[in-house]
Amino acid sequence: MLRLQSAPVYILIVTLTCNLLYRCLAADVVSYEELRKMVANGNIRLYDVREPEEVMLGKIPTSINIPLNQLKTSLLMDDEIFKKKYKSNKPQKWDTKIVFYCRSGKRSATALKTAKILDYLHARHYEGGYMEWEDCESARSH
């Protein structure tokens, strides 16, 4: 009898946990439209985690290239060393405008996990990546 009475409570807890997890994960993702507005307003700290050879083929305006394999070291750097290397101020852990992107979203998701582990709790990633950006920008111009 105790099990039957506690089942609705268990279901409620599981449902609330899943909803909260979904909201947290969704909050970590930036859409094309949101990213476009942020870039246009200069209201973003955009990091491209692709390799330099990929960036040479095109990039999202205002982005700074920090290859994924250098991200952890870069986020742990002294502020002045970061500024000298990337010609930009190092993002702060409380910064709400940090967005990572890559070609298709896989590496940027990994970059996001790395940043979260390093306490950049408000960081996000552009799941569509440069491929989606390029397609959407091309469609806008036609």
Side-chain angles (χ1 to χ4, degrees):
M1 186 67 101
L2 182 60
R3 281 188 160 178
L4 290 177
Q5 289 175 342
S6 62
V9 173
Y10 174 76
I11 291 169
L12 177 63
I13 290 170
V14 168
T15 302
L16 290 174
T17 302
C18 289
N19 286 340
L20 180 60
L21 180 60
Y22 173 77
R23 273 193 239 128
C24 288
L25 291 175
D28 287 346
V29 176
V30 175
S31 69
Y32 165 75
E33 289 299 330
E34 186 179 4
L35 181 64
R36 192 167 200 288
K37 287 177 190 169
M38 293 171 82
V39 169
N41 296 335
N43 194 20
I44 191 168
R45 297 180 61 83
L46 185 59
Y47 298 99
D48 184 340
V49 296
R50 297 176 297 160
E51 292 300 315
E53 310 81 59
E54 295 173 273
V55 177
M56 290 173 62
L57 301 174
K59 67 178 205 152
I60 299 174
T62 76
S63 64
I64 296 169
N65 180 230
I66 304 177
L68 182 59
N69 65 357
Q70 297 174 25
L71 182 66
K72 182 177 179 183
T73 303
S74 297
L75 292 178
L76 291 171
M77 274 179 190
D78 174 73
D79 292 357
E80 290 305 313
I81 295 171
F82 185 97
K83 188 172 187 171
K84 191 177 238 182
K85 181 170 183 170
Y86 297 108
K87 315 264 186 292
S88 176
N89 290 328
K90 180 180 165 188
Q92 299 302 310
K93 292 184 178 190
W94 60 84
D95 196 334
T96 60
K97 296 167 183 31
I98 300 169
V99 178
F100 298 102
Y101 81 94
C102 62
R103 182 179 153 275
S104 62
K106 186 175 179 183
R107 285 175 284 179
S108 62
T110 302
L112 179 63
K113 288 177 191 171
T114 299
K116 297 272 186 177
I117 288 168
L118 296 175
D119 291 330
Y120 288 84
L121 302 179
H122 303 290
R124 297 184 288 167
H125 86 111
Y126 175 42
E127 192 172 48
Y130 186 71
M131 289 173 56
E132 180 182 80
W133 176 270
E134 194 172 41
D135 289 345
C136 291
E137 288 294 293
S138 179
R140 286 181 80 89
S141 65
H142 288 102

